[in-house]
Amino acid sequence: MSFPISRPRRLRKTHALREMVAETVLSVNDLMYPIFVVHGKGIKREISAMPDQYHWSIDMLDELISSIVDKDIKSIMIFGVPSIKDDVASENYDENGIVQQAIKKVKLLAPDLVVATDICLCGYTPHGHCGILDCNEYVDNDDTLVILQKTAVSHAIAGADIVAPSSMTDGMVLAMRQALDIAKFETVSIMSYSVKYASAFYGPFRDACNSSPKGDRKAYQMDYRNKKEAILEAMLDVEEGADFIMVKPALSYLDIINELSHKINLPIVAYHVSGEYSMIKIAAKNGLINEKDITLEVLTSMKRAGAKIILTYSALNVAQWLR
Ligand code: PBG
């Protein structure tokens, strides 16, 4: 018999060897944690579709923020559940809106925590679409831009470090950049949800935000059959002045993350979305899989594909496991 010439197994022999040659390392610095804030007092209420994730009222944020800071997580993304929904999504840019209140509270509690805010209209309008509807119930692109601009400036005034437009409105990055610069917020960054697919993986989040649309979002979110279009979307956002490029969802779109990581010289953000999270949680709770092992495998695959930052509901657990 002939012996193998090359034996890749040699470098897998011991734990120490495996650590030495590991090509991809997940770090707590890569994690961004999404949080949901609601009006009211004394609320820490589990979101039924997302085990271990909660709605928090502002007065309860101390507990949450200290657990984030204690775990050395560097950033959060704030999602607001407004008290009023109207056709112009007015709570979005209300200086006393739920997100504005949350930003101020978080900045008081943890001035160094990087605060990003999701900016969209779907949770703030009665129809649940990500923009202003025209008389034909079609999302009017340019009317929507005006709301995004007002909201970005209002979040910046409250103290946000990063604004993250997620409405898939054409020109949203440029519009926000201009509005922020005119208002002298040239150091506030834009994390664009550049490549956001019309996905069935957002179901649990829409429960959490009560933002299910009438119909679907296919007239503005991307078709999952398309990859070239993802590159176009990301390139446009680069030209418009984005600081981070996000791909969403993550796990079924690792090819997109990988392609963009080669083509674009900005940090790529992978959004490990609610459906991806809840599938793991619920399977783990039923004893089918090991939550820790599978979560680390999944998140590491996103980094291996080329993401630098991972927006994930598992961030608190992952930070603990990485210690
Ligand atoms: C708002 C928004 C959504 C998500 C993030 N921002 C919902 C949607 O587009 O329907 C989904 C996040 C998740 O599923 O975790 N447009």
Side-chain angles (χ1 to χ4, degrees), residues 34 36 50 79 118-123 130 166-167 193 196-197 199 201-206 211 213 217 221 248 271-275 313:
F36 296 96
M50 300 174 68
F79 291 93
D118 178 89
I119 297 188
C120 196
L121 278 65
C122 55
C130 302
S166 70
S167 55
Y193 287 70
K196 178 171 177 180
Y197 286 95
S199 168
F201 283 103
Y202 308 147
F205 174 97
R206 291 178 186 173
S211 64
R217 303 200 202 286
Q221 297 182 349
K248 172 183 173 195
Y271 195 155
H272 181 225
V273 300
S274 59
Y313 303 100

Side-chain angles (χ1 to χ4, degrees), residues 234-274:
M235 292 292 193
L236 286 172
D237 284 356
V238 173
E239 286 165 20
E240 291 180 25
D243 301 283
F244 303 83
I245 300 294
M246 190 194 291
V247 176
K248 172 183 173 195
L251 198 49
S252 300
Y253 300 89
L254 296 182
D255 58 327
I256 309 296
I257 292 174
N258 186 252
E259 183 98 9
L260 293 181
S261 75
H262 293 299
K263 289 208 158 69
I264 284 174
N265 297 318
L266 290 174
I268 306 288
V269 184
Y271 195 155
H272 181 225
V273 300
S274 59

Side-chain angles (χ1 to χ4, degrees), residues 92-315:
N92 238 329
Y93 47 87
D94 180 340
E95 62 178 301
N96 293 313
I98 189 66
V99 173
Q100 288 80 351
Q101 290 183 41
I103 300 166
K104 287 182 210 154
K105 180 75 187 271
V106 172
K107 280 289 165 187
L108 273 178
L109 294 168
D112 295 335
L113 186 65
V114 175
V115 173
T117 57
D118 178 89
I119 297 188
C120 196
L121 278 65
C122 55
Y124 295 75
T125 52
H127 46 71
H129 280 291
C130 302
I132 301 286
L133 295 188
D134 68 14
C135 54
N136 300 315
E137 308 235 309
Y138 182 72
V139 171
D140 185 296
N141 196 83
D142 301 0
D143 284 354
T144 302
L145 291 177
V146 179
I147 308 292
L148 299 177
Q149 289 181 308
K150 288 202 269 193
T151 307
V153 171
S154 133
H155 289 186
I157 291 170
D161 301 294
I162 301 175
V163 291
S166 70
S167 55
M168 290 300 280
T169 313
D170 292 337
M172 64 188 184
V173 173
L174 180 63
M176 279 190 176
R177 186 69 274 157
Q178 288 175 336
L180 288 167
D181 289 357
I182 288 168
K184 293 278 175 223
F185 290 110
E186 69 280 355
T187 60
V188 170
S189 313
I190 299 179
M191 177 179 283
S192 179
Y193 287 70
S194 304
V195 181
K196 178 171 177 180
Y197 286 95
S199 168
F201 283 103
Y202 308 147
F205 174 97
R206 291 178 186 173
D207 266 10
C209 286
N210 182 23
S211 64
S212 291
K214 281 191 196 142
D216 60 46
R217 303 200 202 286
K218 290 180 183 166
Y220 40 100
Q221 297 182 349
M222 277 184 52
D223 185 325
Y224 58 71
R225 294 171 294 188
N226 296 349
K227 183 173 189 174
K228 286 185 184 172
E229 191 187 346
I231 299 163
L232 171 67
E233 282 282 7
M235 292 292 193
L236 286 172
D237 284 356
V238 173
E239 286 165 20
E240 291 180 25
D243 301 283
F244 303 83
I245 300 294
M246 190 194 291
V247 176
K248 172 183 173 195
L251 198 49
S252 300
Y253 300 89
L254 296 182
D255 58 327
I256 309 296
I257 292 174
N258 186 252
E259 183 98 9
L260 293 181
S261 75
H262 293 299
K263 289 208 158 69
I264 284 174
N265 297 318
L266 290 174
I268 306 288
V269 184
Y271 195 155
H272 181 225
V273 300
S274 59
E276 302 175 75
Y277 168 82
S278 291
M279 288 194 309
I280 293 179
K281 269 289 187 194
I282 288 160
K285 280 192 193 294
N286 284 289
L288 303 176
I289 55 176
N290 178 295
E291 182 185 354
K292 174 182 171 185
D293 292 346
I294 209 156
T295 302
L296 292 175
E297 180 176 341
V298 162
L299 299 193
T300 303
S301 76
M302 294 169 195
K303 274 207 88 178
R304 193 185 63 235
K308 174 58 192 85
I309 297 161
I310 303 172
L311 183 52
T312 174
Y313 303 100
S314 301

